[in-house]
Amino acid sequence: EIFEQPARLQDTIKGASADDRGFGDNATELFSRVQAVQIVACGTSYYSALVGKAWLEHYTGIPVTVDIGSEYRYNTTPKKYNSVFISISQSGETADTLAALRKAKKENYLGTIALCNVTESALAREADVCIPTNAGPEIGVASTKAFISQLVTLALFGVLVGDQIGLDSKQQKISLKSIKELPEIIEHVLGMAGEI
């Protein structure tokens, strides 16, 4: 799976920019109104959410909260106005993440988004918008290709939300160029395995 990372990242980047509206009409409409983000995930996806929090706040200037799926069920903090809920899962069947999404659907969010590799999964079907990570079949549970695909999807999400709320166009171009260069950079690093 480690050596699949460059190809899977290319799929992730292509999937996110398949049309000029980025992640599709529903997602783009949500982006323009977002003033806060709540992310919920478990395991490896939780770690990508923590990195994603830093990136989203950097790109958008809006606050991001991250909770572990099992903890979110007991979270009674009032939701911020114009918040969007993001659930992240490789399989889309993680029980705690699904339970968190179902709770969020009853709360006052602008909408719910699933970042998920399996577009036929329960999580993908139940969220208002599914953003596929295109990581390919999962072999290992702590999958590096799933992790980096989630990271790149979060980075793209941050750039596109930033675009909707006024991210500097020069910064957006620099960020997108950097993201698109990642597969080649990772391939180069993996090619150094013999030397390392």
Side-chain angles (χ1 to χ4, degrees), residues 93-128:
E93 303 293 345
T94 308
D96 287 327
T97 306
L98 259 173
L101 172 66
R102 289 170 181 157
K103 177 185 176 192
K105 297 283 284 181
K106 297 173 188 169
E107 295 177 329
N108 192 27
Y109 285 102
L110 286 175
T112 58
I113 298 173
L115 263 66
C116 186
N117 188 48
V118 184
T119 54
E120 314 80 40
S121 66
L123 194 75
R125 288 192 318 268
E126 292 183 33
D128 299 327

mmCIF file of all heavy atoms in Angstrom, residues 93-128:
data_model
loop_
_atom_site.group_PDB
_atom_site.id
_atom_site.type_symbol
_atom_site.label_atom_id
_atom_site.label_comp_id
_atom_site.label_asym_id
_atom_site.label_seq_id
_atom_site.Cartn_x
_atom_site.Cartn_y
_atom_site.Cartn_z
ATOM 1 N N GLU A 93 -18.086 2.564 7.244
ATOM 2 C CA GLU A 93 -18.930 1.711 8.089
ATOM 3 C C GLU A 93 -18.500 1.743 9.551
ATOM 4 O O GLU A 93 -18.980 0.947 10.355
ATOM 5 C CB GLU A 93 -18.910 0.256 7.577
ATOM 6 C CG GLU A 93 -19.340 0.074 6.125
ATOM 7 C CD GLU A 93 -20.813 0.380 5.868
ATOM 8 O OE1 GLU A 93 -21.591 0.462 6.834
ATOM 9 O OE2 GLU A 93 -21.176 0.549 4.692
ATOM 10 N N THR A 94 -17.595 2.644 9.915
ATOM 11 C CA THR A 94 -17.121 2.740 11.303
ATOM 12 C C THR A 94 -18.307 3.109 12.197
ATOM 13 O O THR A 94 -18.920 4.164 12.031
ATOM 14 C CB THR A 94 -16.016 3.805 11.419
ATOM 15 O OG1 THR A 94 -15.015 3.540 10.440
ATOM 16 C CG2 THR A 94 -15.402 3.805 12.803
ATOM 17 N N ALA A 95 -18.646 2.237 13.139
ATOM 18 C CA ALA A 95 -19.878 2.378 13.928
ATOM 19 C C ALA A 95 -19.962 3.712 14.665
ATOM 20 O O ALA A 95 -20.998 4.380 14.633
ATOM 21 C CB ALA A 95 -20.000 1.213 14.909
ATOM 22 N N ASP A 96 -18.883 4.117 15.344
ATOM 23 C CA ASP A 96 -18.917 5.368 16.113
ATOM 24 C C ASP A 96 -19.035 6.595 15.210
ATOM 25 O O ASP A 96 -19.714 7.563 15.548
ATOM 26 C CB ASP A 96 -17.670 5.490 17.000
ATOM 27 C CG ASP A 96 -17.714 4.531 18.185
ATOM 28 O OD1 ASP A 96 -18.816 4.268 18.693
ATOM 29 O OD2 ASP A 96 -16.643 4.056 18.595
ATOM 30 N N THR A 97 -18.381 6.561 14.070
ATOM 31 C CA THR A 97 -18.467 7.690 13.138
ATOM 32 C C THR A 97 -19.871 7.785 12.549
ATOM 33 O O THR A 97 -20.428 8.880 12.408
ATOM 34 C CB THR A 97 -17.401 7.556 12.025
ATOM 35 O OG1 THR A 97 -16.118 7.399 12.633
ATOM 36 C CG2 THR A 97 -17.379 8.776 11.122
ATOM 37 N N LEU A 98 -20.454 6.626 12.241
ATOM 38 C CA LEU A 98 -21.837 6.592 11.733
ATOM 39 C C LEU A 98 -22.813 7.118 12.775
ATOM 40 O O LEU A 98 -23.719 7.899 12.458
ATOM 41 C CB LEU A 98 -22.223 5.149 11.380
ATOM 42 C CG LEU A 98 -22.176 4.765 9.916
ATOM 43 C CD1 LEU A 98 -22.415 3.265 9.765
ATOM 44 C CD2 LEU A 98 -23.170 5.554 9.103
ATOM 45 N N ALA A 99 -22.636 6.708 14.026
ATOM 46 C CA ALA A 99 -23.524 7.178 15.103
ATOM 47 C C ALA A 99 -23.406 8.698 15.261
ATOM 48 O O ALA A 99 -24.410 9.389 15.474
ATOM 49 C CB ALA A 99 -23.175 6.475 16.415
ATOM 50 N N ALA A 100 -22.181 9.226 15.130
ATOM 51 C CA ALA A 100 -21.972 10.675 15.230
ATOM 52 C C ALA A 100 -22.677 11.396 14.081
ATOM 53 O O ALA A 100 -23.322 12.426 14.288
ATOM 54 C CB ALA A 100 -20.481 10.987 15.227
ATOM 55 N N LEU A 101 -22.578 10.841 12.881
ATOM 56 C CA LEU A 101 -23.254 11.443 11.730
ATOM 57 C C LEU A 101 -24.769 11.464 11.952
ATOM 58 O O LEU A 101 -25.433 12.472 11.697
ATOM 59 C CB LEU A 101 -22.921 10.685 10.444
ATOM 60 C CG LEU A 101 -23.722 11.106 9.205
ATOM 61 C CD1 LEU A 101 -23.378 12.536 8.788
ATOM 62 C CD2 LEU A 101 -23.486 10.141 8.056
ATOM 63 N N ARG A 102 -25.295 10.373 12.458
ATOM 64 C CA ARG A 102 -26.749 10.299 12.687
ATOM 65 C C ARG A 102 -27.192 11.312 13.737
ATOM 66 O O ARG A 102 -28.263 11.901 13.626
ATOM 67 C CB ARG A 102 -27.132 8.867 13.063
ATOM 68 C CG ARG A 102 -27.010 7.942 11.856
ATOM 69 C CD ARG A 102 -27.140 6.482 12.191
ATOM 70 N NE ARG A 102 -26.990 5.692 10.967
ATOM 71 C CZ ARG A 102 -26.627 4.416 10.944
ATOM 72 N NH1 ARG A 102 -26.369 3.768 12.082
ATOM 73 N NH2 ARG A 102 -26.523 3.785 9.796
ATOM 74 N N LYS A 103 -26.347 11.528 14.746
ATOM 75 C CA LYS A 103 -26.658 12.562 15.743
ATOM 76 C C LYS A 103 -26.612 13.944 15.078
ATOM 77 O O LYS A 103 -27.502 14.777 15.287
ATOM 78 C CB LYS A 103 -25.660 12.508 16.907
ATOM 79 C CG LYS A 103 -25.903 13.614 17.939
ATOM 80 C CD LYS A 103 -24.847 13.651 19.033
ATOM 81 C CE LYS A 103 -25.113 14.838 19.954
ATOM 82 N NZ LYS A 103 -24.046 15.136 20.859
ATOM 83 N N ALA A 104 -25.594 14.172 14.272
ATOM 84 C CA ALA A 104 -25.425 15.478 13.613
ATOM 85 C C ALA A 104 -26.603 15.791 12.690
ATOM 86 O O ALA A 104 -26.987 16.957 12.550
ATOM 87 C CB ALA A 104 -24.121 15.488 12.826
ATOM 88 N N LYS A 105 -27.177 14.775 12.070
ATOM 89 C CA LYS A 105 -28.301 14.993 11.149
ATOM 90 C C LYS A 105 -29.512 15.573 11.884
ATOM 91 O O LYS A 105 -30.361 16.205 11.273
ATOM 92 C CB LYS A 105 -28.707 13.674 10.465
ATOM 93 C CG LYS A 105 -27.651 13.067 9.586
ATOM 94 C CD LYS A 105 -27.499 13.742 8.253
ATOM 95 C CE LYS A 105 -28.610 13.361 7.311
ATOM 96 N NZ LYS A 105 -28.443 14.004 6.001
ATOM 97 N N LYS A 106 -29.554 15.370 13.199
ATOM 98 C CA LYS A 106 -30.671 15.890 14.002
ATOM 99 C C LYS A 106 -30.357 17.265 14.581
ATOM 100 O O LYS A 106 -31.187 17.866 15.250
ATOM 101 C CB LYS A 106 -30.984 14.923 15.144
ATOM 102 C CG LYS A 106 -31.437 13.553 14.671
ATOM 103 C CD LYS A 106 -31.565 12.610 15.854
ATOM 104 C CE LYS A 106 -31.824 11.196 15.367
ATOM 105 N NZ LYS A 106 -31.696 10.221 16.440
ATOM 106 N N GLU A 107 -29.139 17.746 14.351
ATOM 107 C CA GLU A 107 -28.709 19.020 14.921
ATOM 108 C C GLU A 107 -28.735 20.109 13.850
ATOM 109 O O GLU A 107 -28.985 19.840 12.677
ATOM 110 C CB GLU A 107 -27.322 18.857 15.556
ATOM 111 C CG GLU A 107 -27.378 17.900 16.742
ATOM 112 C CD GLU A 107 -26.039 17.640 17.377
ATOM 113 O OE1 GLU A 107 -25.016 17.659 16.676
ATOM 114 O OE2 GLU A 107 -26.014 17.406 18.595
ATOM 115 N N ASN A 108 -28.446 21.315 14.263
ATOM 116 C CA ASN A 108 -28.643 22.471 13.399
ATOM 117 C C ASN A 108 -27.402 22.798 12.557
ATOM 118 O O ASN A 108 -26.860 23.897 12.635
ATOM 119 C CB ASN A 108 -29.043 23.673 14.268
ATOM 120 C CG ASN A 108 -29.537 24.826 13.424
ATOM 121 O OD1 ASN A 108 -30.039 24.626 12.331
ATOM 122 N ND2 ASN A 108 -29.370 26.035 13.933
ATOM 123 N N TYR A 109 -26.950 21.847 11.737
ATOM 124 C CA TYR A 109 -25.822 22.081 10.842
ATOM 125 C C TYR A 109 -26.326 22.550 9.484
ATOM 126 O O TYR A 109 -27.438 22.205 9.073
ATOM 127 C CB TYR A 109 -25.002 20.797 10.656
ATOM 128 C CG TYR A 109 -24.151 20.447 11.847
ATOM 129 C CD1 TYR A 109 -24.539 19.455 12.741
ATOM 130 C CD2 TYR A 109 -22.951 21.111 12.087
ATOM 131 C CE1 TYR A 109 -23.758 19.131 13.836
ATOM 132 C CE2 TYR A 109 -22.161 20.791 13.184
ATOM 133 C CZ TYR A 109 -22.569 19.808 14.053
ATOM 134 O OH TYR A 109 -21.795 19.494 15.143
ATOM 135 N N LEU A 110 -25.499 23.294 8.780
ATOM 136 C CA LEU A 110 -25.819 23.665 7.398
ATOM 137 C C LEU A 110 -25.959 22.420 6.541
ATOM 138 O O LEU A 110 -26.770 22.368 5.623
ATOM 139 C CB LEU A 110 -24.693 24.526 6.804
ATOM 140 C CG LEU A 110 -24.573 25.960 7.255
ATOM 141 C CD1 LEU A 110 -23.319 26.588 6.651
ATOM 142 C CD2 LEU A 110 -25.805 26.754 6.842
ATOM 143 N N GLY A 111 -25.118 21.447 6.837
ATOM 144 C CA GLY A 111 -25.142 20.194 6.098
ATOM 145 C C GLY A 111 -24.097 19.248 6.643
ATOM 146 O O GLY A 111 -23.272 19.619 7.480
ATOM 147 N N THR A 112 -24.158 18.008 6.167
ATOM 148 C CA THR A 112 -23.202 16.983 6.590
ATOM 149 C C THR A 112 -22.426 16.498 5.372
ATOM 150 O O THR A 112 -22.992 16.297 4.303
ATOM 151 C CB THR A 112 -23.918 15.800 7.279
ATOM 152 O OG1 THR A 112 -24.886 15.247 6.376
ATOM 153 C CG2 THR A 112 -24.603 16.249 8.561
ATOM 154 N N ILE A 113 -21.136 16.306 5.580
ATOM 155 C CA ILE A 113 -20.247 15.863 4.508
ATOM 156 C C ILE A 113 -19.514 14.612 4.978
ATOM 157 O O ILE A 113 -19.023 14.565 6.107
ATOM 158 C CB ILE A 113 -19.220 16.956 4.150
ATOM 159 C CG1 ILE A 113 -19.930 18.214 3.631
ATOM 160 C CG2 ILE A 113 -18.209 16.448 3.119
ATOM 161 C CD1 ILE A 113 -19.009 19.401 3.419
ATOM 162 N N ALA A 114 -19.443 13.608 4.112
ATOM 163 C CA ALA A 114 -18.651 12.415 4.396
ATOM 164 C C ALA A 114 -17.417 12.433 3.507
ATOM 165 O O ALA A 114 -17.536 12.561 2.288
ATOM 166 C CB ALA A 114 -19.460 11.155 4.132
ATOM 167 N N LEU A 115 -16.224 12.353 4.116
ATOM 168 C CA LEU A 115 -14.997 12.100 3.372
ATOM 169 C C LEU A 115 -14.767 10.607 3.493
ATOM 170 O O LEU A 115 -14.472 10.112 4.589
ATOM 171 C CB LEU A 115 -13.814 12.859 3.991
ATOM 172 C CG LEU A 115 -13.438 14.189 3.381
ATOM 173 C CD1 LEU A 115 -14.546 15.199 3.602
ATOM 174 C CD2 LEU A 115 -12.139 14.691 3.945
ATOM 175 N N CYS A 116 -14.936 9.898 2.410
ATOM 176 C CA CYS A 116 -14.994 8.443 2.505
ATOM 177 C C CYS A 116 -14.444 7.800 1.242
ATOM 178 O O CYS A 116 -14.611 8.328 0.143
ATOM 179 C CB CYS A 116 -16.453 8.056 2.726
ATOM 180 S SG CYS A 116 -16.686 6.322 3.027
ATOM 181 N N ASN A 117 -13.827 6.646 1.405
ATOM 182 C CA ASN A 117 -13.274 5.924 0.269
ATOM 183 C C ASN A 117 -14.318 5.059 -0.429
ATOM 184 O O ASN A 117 -14.200 4.800 -1.620
ATOM 185 C CB ASN A 117 -12.102 5.052 0.734
ATOM 186 C CG ASN A 117 -11.370 4.428 -0.429
ATOM 187 O OD1 ASN A 117 -11.039 5.112 -1.394
ATOM 188 N ND2 ASN A 117 -11.138 3.143 -0.367
ATOM 189 N N VAL A 118 -15.327 4.617 0.306
ATOM 190 C CA VAL A 118 -16.316 3.683 -0.253
ATOM 191 C C VAL A 118 -17.625 4.437 -0.472
ATOM 192 O O VAL A 118 -18.383 4.682 0.468
ATOM 193 C CB VAL A 118 -16.518 2.466 0.681
ATOM 194 C CG1 VAL A 118 -17.476 1.461 0.053
ATOM 195 C CG2 VAL A 118 -15.176 1.810 1.008
ATOM 196 N N THR A 119 -17.899 4.790 -1.707
ATOM 197 C CA THR A 119 -19.045 5.650 -2.010
ATOM 198 C C THR A 119 -20.386 4.936 -1.869
ATOM 199 O O THR A 119 -21.424 5.588 -1.857
ATOM 200 C CB THR A 119 -18.926 6.256 -3.426
ATOM 201 O OG1 THR A 119 -18.740 5.198 -4.370
ATOM 202 C CG2 THR A 119 -17.756 7.214 -3.500
ATOM 203 N N GLU A 120 -20.368 3.607 -1.731
ATOM 204 C CA GLU A 120 -21.622 2.866 -1.517
ATOM 205 C C GLU A 120 -21.862 2.588 -0.035
ATOM 206 O O GLU A 120 -22.828 1.921 0.334
ATOM 207 C CB GLU A 120 -21.603 1.500 -2.237
ATOM 208 C CG GLU A 120 -21.110 1.489 -3.662
ATOM 209 C CD GLU A 120 -19.589 1.501 -3.797
ATOM 210 O OE1 GLU A 120 -18.892 0.813 -3.026
ATOM 211 O OE2 GLU A 120 -19.103 2.236 -4.674
ATOM 212 N N SER A 121 -20.999 3.074 0.834
ATOM 213 C CA SER A 121 -21.092 2.780 2.268
ATOM 214 C C SER A 121 -22.245 3.535 2.923
ATOM 215 O O SER A 121 -22.798 4.479 2.358
ATOM 216 C CB SER A 121 -19.784 3.173 2.963
ATOM 217 O OG SER A 121 -19.611 4.574 2.898
ATOM 218 N N ALA A 122 -22.573 3.125 4.136
ATOM 219 C CA ALA A 122 -23.648 3.782 4.897
ATOM 220 C C ALA A 122 -23.322 5.259 5.130
ATOM 221 O O ALA A 122 -24.178 6.131 4.979
ATOM 222 C CB ALA A 122 -23.857 3.062 6.230
ATOM 223 N N LEU A 123 -22.076 5.561 5.489
ATOM 224 C CA LEU A 123 -21.686 6.945 5.763
ATOM 225 C C LEU A 123 -21.868 7.813 4.517
ATOM 226 O O LEU A 123 -22.433 8.900 4.587
ATOM 227 C CB LEU A 123 -20.225 6.998 6.226
ATOM 228 C CG LEU A 123 -19.768 8.307 6.867
ATOM 229 C CD1 LEU A 123 -20.317 8.436 8.292
ATOM 230 C CD2 LEU A 123 -18.245 8.384 6.903
ATOM 231 N N ALA A 124 -21.409 7.312 3.392
ATOM 232 C CA ALA A 124 -21.518 8.058 2.128
ATOM 233 C C ALA A 124 -22.979 8.278 1.743
ATOM 234 O O ALA A 124 -23.350 9.354 1.272
ATOM 235 C CB ALA A 124 -20.785 7.316 1.018
ATOM 236 N N ARG A 125 -23.810 7.283 1.951
ATOM 237 C CA ARG A 125 -25.230 7.385 1.586
ATOM 238 C C ARG A 125 -25.997 8.324 2.508
ATOM 239 O O ARG A 125 -26.896 9.035 2.071
ATOM 240 C CB ARG A 125 -25.893 6.003 1.616
ATOM 241 C CG ARG A 125 -25.475 5.080 0.489
ATOM 242 C CD ARG A 125 -26.371 3.845 0.402
ATOM 243 N NE ARG A 125 -26.713 3.261 1.686
ATOM 244 C CZ ARG A 125 -26.028 2.288 2.286
ATOM 245 N NH1 ARG A 125 -24.943 1.809 1.714
ATOM 246 N NH2 ARG A 125 -26.416 1.798 3.439
ATOM 247 N N GLU A 126 -25.647 8.330 3.796
ATOM 248 C CA GLU A 126 -26.435 9.091 4.772
ATOM 249 C C GLU A 126 -26.038 10.559 4.881
ATOM 250 O O GLU A 126 -26.836 11.386 5.323
ATOM 251 C CB GLU A 126 -26.362 8.407 6.144
ATOM 252 C CG GLU A 126 -27.069 7.063 6.153
ATOM 253 C CD GLU A 126 -27.084 6.393 7.515
ATOM 254 O OE1 GLU A 126 -27.141 7.110 8.536
ATOM 255 O OE2 GLU A 126 -27.030 5.152 7.556
ATOM 256 N N ALA A 127 -24.820 10.908 4.486
ATOM 257 C CA ALA A 127 -24.393 12.316 4.522
ATOM 258 C C ALA A 127 -25.060 13.080 3.379
ATOM 259 O O ALA A 127 -25.437 12.488 2.365
ATOM 260 C CB ALA A 127 -22.879 12.396 4.411
ATOM 261 N N ASP A 128 -25.199 14.386 3.551
ATOM 262 C CA ASP A 128 -25.774 15.211 2.487
ATOM 263 C C ASP A 128 -24.873 15.238 1.260
ATOM 264 O O ASP A 128 -25.344 15.269 0.126
ATOM 265 C CB ASP A 128 -25.982 16.653 2.975
ATOM 266 C CG ASP A 128 -26.942 16.733 4.150
ATOM 267 O OD1 ASP A 128 -27.882 15.910 4.214
ATOM 268 O OD2 ASP A 128 -26.752 17.611 5.013
#
